[in-house]
Amino acid sequence: TAAVRQMREFSSKHLVTTAWAFAFLVFDDAPLMDSISAESITRIGSFESRQLANLAWSCANLCYSDSPLLDALASASMRLLPQCHTQDLQNIAWAYYMLTWMH
């Protein structure tokens, strides 16, 4: 799709928002999620806690279990732990639980 080809031009916010929108609609598009995953991994250090939580939620809602992305999300979450909002931590924990339970 056009979005997959332009993924490198997306901001971090747009990457997460795109994943969230597809997950909210439960529209599984593996090539799109693969592209979002690859781009997110390269810039996950700049994500805010809400973006990490929304991306984790999106993965769980789509049953998208990409180990490199999940590892990067976990590392970034740990780094942001002191400044994370409680709701973001709960959403990240829920997403990891759901992904673990589904597999």
Side-chain angles (χ1 to χ4, degrees):
T1 65
V4 170
R5 289 190 297 274
Q6 296 177 344
M7 201 59 61
R8 284 197 165 96
E9 298 172 22
F10 281 30
S11 68
S12 299
K13 179 181 177 181
H14 291 130
L15 287 170
V16 173
T17 302
T18 301
W20 182 90
F22 275 75
F24 181 78
L25 296 172
V26 193
F27 188 83
D28 190 11
D29 185 330
L32 178 71
M33 286 304 294
D34 290 344
S35 294
I36 290 172
S37 175
E39 280 302 311
S40 294
I41 290 168
T42 65
R43 51 178 111 161
I44 205 148
S46 67
F47 281 27
E48 298 173 4
S49 66
R50 178 68 38 92
Q51 292 171 320
L52 297 173
N54 287 344
L55 186 55
W57 178 87
S58 300
C59 290
N61 209 49
L62 291 172
C63 301
Y64 181 77
S65 185
D66 180 65
S67 293
L69 176 60
L70 296 176
D71 291 346
L73 279 167
S75 293
S77 297
M78 292 299 292
R79 192 171 53 256
L80 291 178
L81 196 58
Q83 62 207 44
C84 270
H85 300 289
T86 304
Q87 185 66 51
D88 296 338
L89 291 173
Q90 290 172 337
N91 289 347
I92 292 166
W94 174 86
Y96 275 82
Y97 168 77
M98 293 303 293
L99 287 167
T100 302
W101 180 75
M102 288 184 249
H103 289 128

